[in-house]
Amino acid sequence: NNQPLNLNELATKSRKRVLVVDQSYGDMSLVCGGVDDSVFQRMVQDAVKENPDAEILFKIHPDTLSRCTESGFSKFIPASVKVIDTFINPITLLQSVDEVYVATSQLGFEALMCGKKVHVYGLPFYSGWGLTDDKIHCPRRKRKLTIYELFYIVYVSYSHYIDPETGVETNVEGAINYILKHRKELLGQ
């Protein structure tokens, strides 16, 4: 929520653009989502192979940038891929791309909400519902959901929000308004 909204050198797009999403190396969402180095390597190779005329972007995870460490997955990134190693608002970035390749990242769900085609190489909560190009089948997910149904389940039915200033439970709209208010105060945006 505190990352800049501008795209800087990415603002001009001249061809199809594909985003490959980094994750914090060793993160439990990767472990529990069935992702290891070989899966991540395949994801990067597929993104390049399946989009030969596209500009391929690799977004380094914000936690990796904050810690000033190297991504554990950057060793799989070919020289032809543009690495984004600066902070940028994820929605602003998603609006500038056509397709997204993820392992288990929350950014894949945000990409779905932005109307992007999402290729998923692990088992995050949003895969297996007929919304994503899934590389791993999840047999317990037997029905199809719309993005609206999945959003409602995740952000309205299952989530609980507490206003940090009052300590009182609020709803998703209250949480959004709180974030927007403080973002504007912090960044003037």
Side-chain angles (χ1 to χ4, degrees), residues 79-152:
S80 61
V81 172
K82 178 172 182 46
V83 175
I84 303 171
D85 57 1
T86 58
F87 291 104
I88 185 169
N89 179 277
I91 301 302
T92 301
L93 178 59
L94 287 172
Q95 290 170 339
S96 78
V97 303
D98 302 289
E99 294 184 28
V100 178
Y101 285 70
V102 299
T104 61
S105 174
Q106 171 75 20
L107 199 56
F109 186 55
E110 293 166 350
L112 285 173
M113 291 189 291
C114 289
K116 306 303 176 179
K117 182 175 182 176
V118 180
H119 307 268
V120 181
Y121 286 75
L123 287 174
F125 70 91
Y126 55 85
S127 68
W129 303 110
L131 300 170
T132 52
D133 172 26
D134 301 320
K135 306 306 178 183
I136 298 175
H137 176 68
C138 183
R140 70 178 184 273
R141 295 180 187 163
K142 299 184 186 302
R143 63 185 183 130
K144 304 267 187 235
L145 296 175
T146 68
I147 189 64
Y148 302 104
E149 291 169 323
L150 189 55
F151 176 90
Y152 184 85

Side-chain angles (χ1 to χ4, degrees), residues 10-40:
L10 296 174
T12 305
K13 178 181 164 189
S14 60
R15 58 190 165 137
K16 179 180 177 180
R17 189 177 275 169
V18 173
L19 177 64
V20 178
V21 179
D22 185 25
Q23 287 188 247
S24 293
Y25 199 71
D27 186 275
M28 286 308 294
S29 72
L30 294 170
V31 175
C32 295
V35 178
D36 60 16
D37 283 8
S38 68
V39 173
F40 199 89

Side-chain angles (χ1 to χ4, degrees), residues 1-6 89 92 179-189:
N1 293 314
N2 66 346
Q3 297 180 11
L5 295 173
N6 58 349
N89 179 277
T92 301
I179 290 169
L180 291 175
K181 173 186 166 195
H182 289 281
R183 180 182 176 82
K184 187 170 185 170
E185 290 171 3
L186 178 69
L187 301 176
Q189 300 175 350

